[in-house]
Structure formats: C-alpha cells, structure tokens
C-alpha cells in the first residue's frame, strides 16, 4: 500500500524511510480513534479507516502542509484481526491516492477489546511558514470553508479534508491564521482568538449552515440549526483569518468551487461576540467539544 | 515536554513542526502497546511510558537512525485520564532526554476500556544508508548485543534501547544487516536470513544467556535457559550481520562496554541451523512470538 515515491523502504523492515529531498520542515500530527468514542460499534471498517486518515490530513491542511505519508497502528479484535486490518486500510486508500499520501503501516495488534486505530501523518511546507492559530490581527476577516453543523449525520465519517483548498490558499494568498473546526465553530474560533490575543465578532446570519444541521434541527428539544453550526463539532472545515483586501480578492475570484464564506471579523479586545442588528455586539456563549 | 531544538512548534497547534536541517532521509516507526497484551494491568504507568518509547527507539536503532522526535497518542481510563497521561509521559522523559528525543504529543483521549498507548518515532540517517535486515551474505558473522532470554522478568519493561551502540557501530564499522530482537533470537534471525537469501548457523554454546533466563529456567516444566535465550522475545538487543574482518576488529577493540558476542555465521543456502560438535550442522526449530 505505497502510493508515493518518497517512501524508500516500507513495511517489512524495522521502520520506514522517507526521502524528503529539499524539505527541511516536517509537520507531524497524530490522532487516535477508538470504537465507542470516535465512531460507533458496527460502523463499516472502511469508513473508520477513511476517518482516521482524514482527521490527520485535516490537521495538516490547517497548518498548510502538503501530506507526504501516514503511519498506521491498529488494535483489532482477536477473531477477525487480519480481515479487519485490510478493510481499515482499504478505506484509507482512495483518500491517500487523491492526495499522494504514502501509507507506511505501522503496527497491527489484536486483543479482546474494542477497535483502536492510531494514525500519524507527516507533511512538508515547501519553504513556506506553517499556518498557525495565533496570527489573527484586529480587522482580519473570518472565513470558513464549506458548511457547518450536523456532522454526526454522516459527515464526521465521510468528510473530505480540505487539503487541496489549503494548499491553493497557502500558495497564492496571505493567510494570517488557520485552524480546522474539529470541536465546534465557536470553540475553535475562541481558541484562535485567544491564541492571537484578540476578539472575534461573528455575523450569525452569514454562517453557512449545512443541510444536515437543518434536517436534524426540527426534532423537539433539539438544538436549532444555527446552534448546530456553532457547536456541533467534527465539521473539519477550515477557519481562516485573512486581511480584508485578501478576503475581497477571494470573493471576487474564488480559487476553488468549495464555498468560502465571510462570517465575521477579528477585533481588538478579547472574547467571542455576535454582531447585533443595530451594529453593536453581544457576548456569544462558546460551546463545543472540550478535550481533556 | 520538549527536549530538542528541532521542534519548532509543539503541542497546542494542529500539528508539530520539525526543522530537519540538512537531513533528507527520515526514518519513521510506530508501535502500539495495549494493557493486557504488551503489559499487565496494574503496571506502573511510568514503566509503561518508558517501554512505549523504548520499543520505538529500538526500531530506529535497528535501522541505525538517530532519534529526533516521538509523537504520543494515548487512550486512557475515563476517571484518571489526565493524571495517567502525565505519569506515562513522565516515564518517557529520562529516556527521551538521554537520547535528545523531542516528545511531540500527540492526542490524549479517554474511554471506559483498557489503556492504549501509540508512539510514532522519527529519526534521521545523517547521510548514511539505513541498516536493513536483507544485507547479510554468506560468511558474515552473527553478532548480538547484551544477553538474551527471560525478558518477562522485567527487562521487557525497563530495557535500554541500543541507540548509542547502533550509532557508534554505524559511524565506524561496516555492518551488512541488522534487526532488533523483539520476537525471539531464532525467529528474528530467521527473518534476517530469509530476507538476505541465506542460511544462518548458530553456535548454541556461544549465545549469551541472561541471568533472568537462568533464574526462570529451573522451574519444573519450564523452558531451559538456552531455549529462553533462543525464543523468549522482547530482548530488544541488536542482532547484526558483519564481515568477518569487522567482527575481529570489534573483538580486539570493543567500541563500547556492552558485550557484543559472536554467536554464529551466515552461510549459503537457507534455514536456521545449529553447529554440531563434530563440525556438521542440524536444523534448529524456530520459535518465538509470531505476529498477525
């Protein structure tokens, strides 16, 4: 399962060797998925494999890194381990091929417990500085790719990480800060604002709400579609801070088909706010998935 | 928990960035440990942390790669997750410091299941070719570091990966092939012989048997101490194929304190053999831990 020329020695020796050529900056990220935590028992294994690779590629995209390789470690049920390993890796393959990611497995183990899959992804920066979450400045426009909310309806398993879009933006435009929305728009925006030492003001009516968020919303006692877009998490869209002039250029001549929507701006101060109809602002409750 | 200048951006952004400088070949390895499989429930968490890093550094040593960084993903029990994560990483720290490995964690998760820890380690080759397991040629001497067998007595948790010795050997001597003994001498030697397309002949009386193997051996119905040295596994010593002249030089002027013992030679043909007192050879039963 190698798809890249960069992988010199693969599975079968003690470790894999990657030829990085002129790349001097390596970007490394790791995400672990566990059955019953990140996906339900009974989820088709290829979908689990896709998600495990996709969440890692999404992290690389949020740093504007080009993915090179992924190392996969599996912990599988004793009775069906080999078969399961194959299904998980098969699920990764189309995504790996699309983005020329070499899959350098890794470690396959079996036990009596639930399925665990750990992926470490490596990427390069091709001379650029990585996007970080701390570079937003007051006056920057907040942009978001795609649409938000309702990811549990299926997108959290099947999403396409925004690798192509990130590389296009990083190559041609000045981007001040970036994060991928894994824990909810309001929470990840708060992280970006805090890291950057500024406030963020959202235009709630501008937020692109997904069809999934709208179709989940009508249930009694359910969150509103907007609340879902603000806090559901696992959207894996890119949240960006860009200079106003750059935002204008991007609006005038979109560099890709995926919607890139202006949803507010950074401002001096601190906290997450919503723009009121009268032009003032009110504090917004930050909600989302808090890690340990 | 950074110990290396090479780690530019660490925990807290979407991914870690490593400045590799002039290194163009990166060596990547990943090993996952699960409670009840690779260590017993109730094992002190710092020992588990040490082992998780050490098994990965042992893989890098077997490729003669200098370790640069390790990425750690954890899956911990819900009630004590943060405290456990700290204990695991603390257990890694002395080993990481000794070898200047930057610990770039990773992903910390909690669940109701057993402890799982996945480490991916990155190393560089500094212009050299990596050691592989397929380079042994007939006439090469088989060398092994340290002593073998009885690792379950404690060494499997507390062992020191042979990083220093590997780098010393790689820098100054011609080494044809290498592997770390993770699944038992006879099995890992068989892997090396098969990969190299030759046979291996062991002098059983030359094999360095550990004190642990000897003290476990007297129990009734137990394996003999020699059988333990041949098949116990998790020794994490280096097994090397070296030209006879190099072996002589190493014997005359040992480059480090750790014993480096000649235990046989590679020969044309196939299979694993033991040298008989009459100078002939007999087939040796290959035993050890077989992975999936």
């Amino acid at each position: 399962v190698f798809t890249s020329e960069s992988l010199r020695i693969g599975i079968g020796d003690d470790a894999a060797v990657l030829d990085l050529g002129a790349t001097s900056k390596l970007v490394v990220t790791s995400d672990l998925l566990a059955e019953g935590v990140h996906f339900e028992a009974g989820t088709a294994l290829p979908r689990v494999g896709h998600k495990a690779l996709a969440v890692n590629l999404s992290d690389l995209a949020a740093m504007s890194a080009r993915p090179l390789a992924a190392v996969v470690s599996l912990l599988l049920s004793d009775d069906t381990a080999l078969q399961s390993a194959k299904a998980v890796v098969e699920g990764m393959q189309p995504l790996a091929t699309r983005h020329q990611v070499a899959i350098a497995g890794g470690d396959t183990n079996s036990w009596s417990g639930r399925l665990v899959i750990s992926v470490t992804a490596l990427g390069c920066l091709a001379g650029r500085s990585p996007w970080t979450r701390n570079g937003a400045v007051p006056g920057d426009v907040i942009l978001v790719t795609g649409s938000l909310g309702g990811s549990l309806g299926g997108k959290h398993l099947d999403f396409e990480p925004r690798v192509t879009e990130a590389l296009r933006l990083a190559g041609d435009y000045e981007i001040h800060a970036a994060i991928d929305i894994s824990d909810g728009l309001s929470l990840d925006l708060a992280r970006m604002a805090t890291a950057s030492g500024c406030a963020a003001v959202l235009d709630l009516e501008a937020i692109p709400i997904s069809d999934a968020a709208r179709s989940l919303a009508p249930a009694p006692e359910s969150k509103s579609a907007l609340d879902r877009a603000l806090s559901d998490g696992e959207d894996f869209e890119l949240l960006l801070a860009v200079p106003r002039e750059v935002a204008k250029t991007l609006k005038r001549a979109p560099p890709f088909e995926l919607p890139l929507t202006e949803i507010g701006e950074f401002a001096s101060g601190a906290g997450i706010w919503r723009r009121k109809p009268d032009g003032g602002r009110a504090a917004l409750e930050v909600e989302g998935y808090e890690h340990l």
Side-chain angles (χ1 to χ4, degrees), chain A residues 160-243:
Chain A
E160 183 71 25
R162 301 312 187 187
V163 174
T164 308
E165 291 76 13
L167 293 176
R168 187 70 202 277
L169 289 170
D172 294 342
Y173 303 88
E174 184 185 356
I175 307 293
H176 282 170
I179 195 170
D180 68 325
I181 303 179
S182 50
D183 300 329
L185 168 61
S186 65
L187 184 54
D188 286 316
L189 179 61
R191 287 174 178 144
M192 191 186 254
T194 302
S196 300
C198 52
V201 187
L202 283 170
D203 295 317
L204 296 187
E205 66 278 15
I207 292 172
I209 299 171
S210 72
D211 291 344
R214 293 191 198 281
S215 64
L216 285 170
E221 295 172 48
S222 168
K223 291 198 218 177
S224 75
L226 176 63
D227 282 344
R228 291 196 168 279
L230 281 166
S231 67
D232 267 2
E234 301 222 275
D235 290 307
F236 299 108
E237 296 293 347
L238 290 173
L239 186 64
L240 303 159
V242 307

Side-chain angles (χ1 to χ4, degrees), chain A residues 18-29:
Chain A
L18 281 162
D19 191 341
L20 297 174
T23 302
S24 72
K25 290 253 181 59
L26 189 76
V27 181
V28 185
T29 187

